[in-house]
Amino acid sequence: MISVRKMQAVDVEAVSQIEAAVFSQPWSVQGFLDALSLENTIFLVAEENKKILGYVGMYVSLDEGEITNVAVTPEARRRGVGQSLIEKIKKEAEANSVLQMILEVRVSNDPAIRLYQRNGFLNCGIRKGFYDFPKEDAYIMIYRKDVELLTKDFH
Ligand SMILES: CC(C)(COP(=O)(O)OP(=O)(O)OC[C@H]1O[C@@H](n2cnc3c(N)ncnc32)[C@H](O)[C@@H]1OP(=O)(O)O)[C@@H](O)C(=O)NCCC(=O)NCCS
């Protein structure tokens, strides 16, 4: 069974390995450790049989959360791991009085865009040339629970 819990320092080695396998400009081990040491961050891991399959990370400032990392190991994709992580970070956001979550995503990254859209994130703009390796624009996507509740009936 897949479960989602808070990331701890002992998880960072496994998390960094997924990060390095998935992204062209990966966060380092130290980057994750630094994030975990801050009070205004929420980092979660998804695991199954004690194996880490994915993670999500968010920086909180006042009532806004910025999601900085989302990844699932390639072998575990399309099994609901990403969905479980997003559901849990939404609950954590609410518990921490975060009213709005924002993230950037490569415009070509259909799997991630669909994951965010099915969880109520809306496409709110473009950052031109935001990414390197390869150079690409980013969509800015925003989630607000009040907007999700308002628009639910229209779908
Ligand atoms: C995006 C990512 C986290 C999705 O994780 P996942 O565990 O495979 O996602 P899930 O199995 O929970 O899928 C949930 C929903 O997301 C969407 N989705 C996920 N992968 C998809 C794909 N390859 N194509 C289309 N939709 C996809 C679907 O709506 C899916 O629901 P469904 O399976 O009922 O159709 C994963 O593909 C990943 O790690 N990608 C590389 C890292 C990355 O791009 N991170 C985002 C940076 S902004």
Side-chain angles (χ1 to χ4, degrees):
M1 203 188 82
I2 297 160
S3 59
V4 179
R5 60 166 174 80
K6 291 262 167 75
M7 190 187 294
Q8 290 158 4
V10 290
D11 302 319
V12 164
E13 202 60 54
V15 164
S16 306
Q17 280 177 18
I18 300 175
E19 174 87 3
V22 170
F23 295 110
S24 63
Q25 292 185 287
W27 279 30
S28 63
V29 168
Q30 195 56 48
F32 282 105
L33 289 173
D34 289 348
L36 288 186
S37 72
L38 297 172
E39 273 183 12
N40 65 326
T41 55
I42 302 171
F43 276 67
L44 309 172
V45 291
E47 69 177 355
E48 187 178 48
N49 300 327
K50 301 210 183 302
K51 189 178 182 324
I52 291 179
L53 303 181
Y55 52 93
V56 59
M58 178 165 75
Y59 277 68
V60 177
S61 92
L62 301 177
D63 59 4
E64 183 169 293
E66 186 188 356
I67 295 185
T68 49
N69 313 68
V70 181
V72 171
T73 184
E75 308 80 60
R77 289 189 190 156
R78 289 323 282 269
R79 289 185 47 215
V81 178
Q83 180 64 29
S84 304
L85 286 163
I86 298 297
E87 281 173 14
K88 183 75 174 185
I89 201 88
K90 280 165 76 171
K91 285 198 184 123
E92 287 289 329
E94 195 171 2
N96 286 276
S97 307
V98 171
L99 297 181
Q100 172 164 297
M101 290 192 288
I102 185 162
L103 57 80
E104 283 102 10
V105 57
R106 285 183 182 268
V107 296
S108 67
N109 192 348
D110 280 340
I113 292 166
R114 292 170 89 118
L115 171 67
Y116 301 139
Q117 282 176 337
R118 93 196 294 260
N119 284 285
F121 283 79
L122 300 175
N123 220 317
C124 293
I126 288 192
R127 288 197 209 284
K128 285 277 175 202
F130 182 76
Y131 290 106
D132 292 312
F133 312 111
K135 195 85 184 159
E136 191 174 346
D137 298 347
Y139 285 132
I140 304 163
M141 298 188 76
I142 294 180
Y143 171 84
R144 291 184 60 100
K145 187 171 183 181
D146 52 359
V147 173
E148 185 181 36
L149 291 174
L150 271 174
T151 55
K152 224 170 199 153
D153 293 340
F154 297 116
H155 296 305

